[in-house]
C-alpha cells in the first residue's frame, strides 16, 4: 500500500507539472494572435495501461494543443482494443506536415484527432 501511495504522489506531481506547462504555453501569444499552445502538440502519457501487468490497452494518454489548427481538441477518445500507440504518433506526424504512410506498427491515422 505504501508503494501505491508513493506512486500516486509521483503521478500527481507529474500532472501538476503538465498542467503548469500547458497554462504557461497558453499564455504565450504568437504573432498571429494565437498561443504557443495553439501551435503545439504536447503529449503526456504511458505506453502501458497497467504497469504491474504490462498490458497495452486503455493507455492513459493526453494530447494537448492545437497543432497549428490541425488537431481537434476538447474531447475524449476511446480506441478499440489492439489499436497501436503508433497510430497516435503517425497522426501527430501527419499533423506536423510529414507525409508518412506508416510509423512503426501503425495501422492507420486517427482521423478523429485531425481537423
Amino acid at each position: 500500500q505504501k508503494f501505491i501511495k508513493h506512486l500516486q504522489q509521483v503521478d500527481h506531481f507529474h500532472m501538476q507539472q503538465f498542467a503548469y506547462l500547458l497554462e504557461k504555453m497558453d499564455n504565450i501569444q504568437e504573432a498571429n494572435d494565437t498561443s504557443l499552445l495553439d501551435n503545439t502538440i504536447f503529449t503526456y502519457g504511458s505506453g502501458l495501461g497497467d504497469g504491474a501487468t504490462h498490458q497495452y490497452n486503455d493507455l492513459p494518454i493526453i494530447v494537448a494543443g492545437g497543432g497549428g489548427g490541425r488537431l481537434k481538441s476538447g474531447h475524449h477518445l476511446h480506441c478499440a482494443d489492439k489499436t497501436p500507440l503508433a497510430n497516435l504518433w503517425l497522426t501527430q506526424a501527419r499533423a506536423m506536415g510529414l507525409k508518412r504512410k506508416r510509423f512503426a506498427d501503425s495501422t492507420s491515422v486517427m482521423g478523429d484527432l485531425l481537423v
Side-chain angles (χ1 to χ4, degrees):
Q1 289 293 29
K2 189 174 184 179
F3 172 77
I4 297 296
K5 182 179 179 186
H6 289 149
L7 182 59
Q8 288 173 334
Q9 289 172 334
V10 169
D11 286 345
H12 186 259
F13 172 77
H14 287 149
M15 283 307 305
Q16 284 179 316
Q17 297 308 301
F18 183 72
Y20 170 78
L21 289 171
L22 290 175
E23 185 176 343
K24 288 288 209 184
M25 292 169 73
D26 197 34
N27 288 320
I28 296 174
Q29 293 301 303
E30 301 274 62
N32 62 355
D33 204 33
T34 60
S35 72
L36 178 60
L37 185 59
D38 292 331
N39 296 304
T40 300
I41 300 173
F42 194 16
T43 306
Y44 176 81
S46 175
L48 294 175
D50 180 357
T53 61
H54 288 180
Q55 60 87 8
Y56 303 100
N57 292 319
D58 298 323
L59 301 180
I61 307 283
I62 299 173
V63 178
R70 295 182 215 66
L71 292 182
K72 293 178 188 174
S73 63
H75 62 279
H76 174 266
L77 294 179
H78 188 269
C79 299
D81 281 351
K82 308 232 187 260
T83 300
L85 180 56
N87 286 5
L88 175 61
W89 308 139
L90 176 63
T91 303
Q92 290 182 352
R94 290 269 187 92
M96 291 185 287
L98 277 71
K99 306 272 190 249
R100 296 190 62 117
K101 292 182 182 178
R102 292 189 49 131
F103 177 80
D105 65 342
S106 65
T107 57
S108 66
V109 170
M110 300 174 75
D112 290 344
L113 276 179
L114 296 173
V115 172

